[in-house]
Amino acid sequence: AQTVTQSQPEMSVQEAETVTLSCTYDTSENNYYLFWYKQPPSRQMILVIRQEAYKQQNATENRFSVNFQKAAKSFSLKISDSQLGDTAMYFCAFMKQVPGTYKYIFGTGTRLKVLA
Amino acid sequence: KAGVTQTPRYLIKTRGQQVTLSCSPISGHRSVSWYQQTPGQGLQFLFEYFSETQRNKGNFPGRFSGRQFSNSRSEMNVSTLELGDSALYLCASRQTSGGPPDTQYFGPGTRLTVL
């Protein structure tokens, strides 16, 4: 069975600094997708970034980038120039195709606090 | 386009009661998934519906059930509530089910408290 592990329950970072959130996963699949979702306090979960496993190039979205290490089954999220609005719960998610649809598995989340 | 909406946003029930939660997906989205979010457990997948058919199911007891209507709106029902059912229930919609994966959009959730 697939599992997703986020080993850092809580983290904090000073405004304008860089922080990296870790995520590891376990799978025997070769084709899958990985995501980072952000859930701000009392607000809706939104997609931050996604990575297709067949792509070697790391995905980047503005200040957010990933370090995807397929062999190591690692998918970390780097947030550069942290802003107060980045304070949120961050979830790493694994997705693979199953008959007729896709199956998502989420980690337990990392609570990130950006300090002024 | 309006986002995913869920009603009610907050709900308080007592043990043994039943509850129905509602989710309206983004217009044009035909796939609706339900998740239970609890501290320390993250998001646990409940089930997915597409075109009124359940396509996928997580490891939850039969007390948890759902359905989808022809307009893609979905409801989730929990019968014989237990204290451990207290959680944030999230609904997420996607445009398709199968084929190239598209982004899953989440609703604000329904906070259920069981006393």
Side-chain angles (χ1 to χ4, degrees):
Chain A
Q2 288 81 18
T3 58
V4 177
T5 302
Q6 293 181 250
S7 58
Q8 306 148 314
E10 293 187 1
M11 295 187 74
S12 62
V13 62
Q14 289 293 138
E15 200 176 4
E17 292 189 347
T18 296
V19 64
T20 299
L21 310 183
S22 67
C23 173
T24 57
Y25 58 94
D26 185 25
T27 185
S28 57
E29 304 284 333
N30 193 44
N31 295 320
Y32 51 88
Y33 301 80
L34 296 162
F35 304 82
W36 279 98
Y37 280 89
K38 168 185 176 182
Q39 187 180 42
S42 302
R43 292 180 62 185
Q44 282 173 244
M45 182 125 48
I46 57 173
L47 178 68
V48 175
I49 200 164
R50 84 181 226 173
Q51 174 83 41
E52 290 84 353
Y54 63 85
K55 289 187 177 178
Q56 293 186 346
Q57 186 172 6
N58 290 324
T60 300
E61 286 289 341
N62 302 313
R63 297 182 296 106
F64 298 87
S65 61
V66 298
N67 183 4
F68 174 47
Q69 302 288 329
K70 190 172 183 179
K73 297 178 183 174
S74 170
F75 182 61
S76 60
L77 174 70
K78 185 171 85 170
I79 306 174
S80 304
D81 185 25
S82 296
Q83 301 175 359
L84 296 178
D86 295 333
T87 292
M89 184 75 104
Y90 287 82
F91 290 97
C92 176
F94 167 96
M95 185 184 82
K96 70 164 189 173
Q97 190 163 11
V98 295
T101 187
Y102 288 92
K103 179 178 179 180
Y104 285 81
I105 300 166
F106 284 79
T108 52
T110 295
R111 188 176 301 279
L112 176 68
K113 188 169 184 179
V114 180
L115 307 171
Chain B
K1 242 184 205 181
V4 179
T5 58
Q6 292 186 246
T7 56
R9 293 292 310 278
Y10 302 91
L11 207 49
I12 298 175
K13 292 285 188 179
T14 55
R15 279 182 300 175
Q17 287 187 308
Q18 75 163 11
V19 66
T20 299
L21 312 182
S22 181
C23 171
S24 293
I26 291 172
S27 177
H29 286 196
R30 297 168 65 191
S31 167
V32 174
S33 296
W34 288 89
Y35 295 86
Q36 181 193 66
Q37 183 181 357
T38 54
Q41 291 291 318
L43 275 74
Q44 302 289 314
F45 172 73
L46 282 154
F47 27 66
E48 180 194 8
Y49 286 87
F50 178 78
S51 292
E52 304 177 64
T53 302
Q54 189 179 87
R55 285 296 183 93
N56 204 359
K57 190 176 187 304
N59 297 322
F60 277 81
R63 300 185 297 107
F64 292 82
S65 63
R67 60 177 175 168
Q68 187 179 34
F69 301 95
S70 58
N71 62 357
S72 295
R73 189 177 71 86
S74 177
E75 286 183 348
M76 187 191 103
N77 184 275
V78 188
S79 62
T80 319
L81 283 166
E82 300 177 0
L83 295 178
D85 297 333
S86 294
L88 180 67
Y89 289 87
L90 294 171
C91 162
S93 76
R94 291 192 293 121
Q95 193 161 17
T96 60
S97 180
D102 46 357
T103 298
Q104 189 169 229
Y105 295 88
F106 284 85
T110 294
R111 173 76 61 188
L112 172 64
T113 301
V114 182
L115 302 176

